[in-house]
Amino acid sequence: EIVLTQSPGTLSLSAGERATLSCRASQSVSRNSLAWYQQKRGQAPRLLIYDAFSRATGIPDRFSGSGSGTDFTLTISRLEPEDFAVYHCQQYGSAPWTFGQGTKVEVK
Amino acid sequence: EVQLVESGGALVQPGGSLRLSCVVSGFTFRNYGMSWVRQAPGKGLERVATIKQDESEKYYLDSVKGRFTVSRENAKDSLYLQMDSLRAEDTAVYYCARVRSGAGGYDVWGQGTLVTVSS
């Protein structure tokens, strides 16, 4: 089973700042099959990025994904007030599909 | 509008059973694999079960094997999760989620239904 470790656990930033979130895999993720989700309090997750760097439908271009192999990054270029949330990564390249534990982006 | 609506969550005693349902609309259900994903209070996401379009393959989280059964009725645009021998550690919000076409990851999620296992 591939274990995904997200860092940091919490990121304290202000609106307008750049956010950089990391997701590290215990083994190489096949075909860069990695997704990022945003989850706001009391809501279901929402797909942001799939296949490591492809934005899902309707996702603003301030969200970008990068990386390959075992190291992946989600970047939010300039935080908007609605971006403060928890972000999860998920790999689906190898069974069983697994999630990271999440990174919370909070208001500084 | 693409929509997934779960129901069936409740408070149940340890050892009890529950059946969750997910009714979909706005897309051709039979063309998509589907999953149940859960989130315990204050915790991360965990895939519980996945079923292929034609039920030819099913996947279960190790800790629920032999206790949970995933099924679907394509004619009714419905996904189900039968949960037996429930334990306290099964307490979570259960989401149904659509597998992204031809690949992996989840591109549509329901709003979730809360299952609480407690005496």
Side-chain angles (χ1 to χ4, degrees):
Chain A
E1 172 176 321
I2 294 180
V3 176
L4 298 180
T5 301
Q6 293 187 240
S7 61
T10 302
L11 196 53
S12 300
L13 295 168
S14 302
E17 290 192 293
R18 182 184 187 91
T20 302
L21 288 66
S22 172
C23 178
R24 180 161 291 178
S26 59
Q27 308 167 39
S28 184
V29 176
S30 176
R31 300 180 306 278
N32 292 330
S33 298
L34 189 114
W36 289 94
Y37 301 88
Q38 177 193 67
Q39 186 177 29
K40 298 180 181 179
R41 183 180 294 275
Q43 296 186 16
R46 175 176 71 144
L47 178 66
L48 298 176
I49 301 288
Y50 62 92
D51 295 346
F53 59 84
S54 297
R55 267 189 302 276
T57 304
I59 301 304
D61 60 8
R62 65 180 180 273
F63 292 92
S64 63
S66 62
S68 64
T70 60
D71 289 295
F72 298 88
T73 300
L74 174 70
T75 301
I76 310 171
S77 59
R78 287 178 58 88
L79 281 164
E80 297 287 341
E82 61 267 28
D83 298 336
F84 291 94
V86 177
Y87 293 83
H88 307 271
C89 61
Q90 180 209 11
Q91 70 81 23
Y92 47 90
S94 304
W97 297 354
T98 48
F99 290 90
Q101 81 282 13
T103 289
K104 181 180 181 181
V105 178
E106 67 175 20
V107 178
K108 186 174 181 181
Chain B
E1 180 190 5
V2 174
Q3 213 170 4
L4 311 178
V5 179
E6 302 97 334
S7 62
L11 170 63
V12 61
Q13 292 189 339
S17 297
L18 214 52
R19 189 193 197 208
L20 305 184
S21 298
C22 172
V23 178
V24 316
S25 58
F27 66 98
T28 305
F29 180 63
R30 65 178 179 271
N31 290 346
Y32 289 85
M34 298 292 295
S35 287
W36 288 97
V37 177
R38 70 184 180 186
Q39 187 170 35
K43 302 295 185 183
L45 300 167
E46 184 175 54
R47 182 173 74 146
V48 173
T50 295
I51 184 169
K52 283 209 165 182
Q53 292 90 316
D54 58 0
E55 297 194 81
S56 59
E57 289 182 39
K58 298 179 183 181
Y59 158 84
Y60 295 96
L61 182 67
D62 280 348
S63 61
V64 309
K65 282 180 183 174
R67 300 189 298 122
F68 290 12
T69 303
V70 62
S71 62
R72 62 192 296 163
E73 280 189 82
N74 288 342
K76 293 186 176 181
D77 292 336
S78 295
L79 174 73
Y80 307 102
L81 185 67
Q82 177 66 40
M83 303 187 294
D84 299 319
S85 303
L86 282 160
R87 306 168 181 168
E89 54 265 35
D90 296 318
T91 294
V93 174
Y94 285 73
Y95 297 99
C96 67
R98 188 178 82 173
V99 178
R100 193 171 58 85
S101 181
Y106 303 112
D107 59 354
V108 184
W109 295 69
Q111 85 288 351
T113 188
L114 176 62
V115 173
T116 303
V117 184
S118 175
S119 54

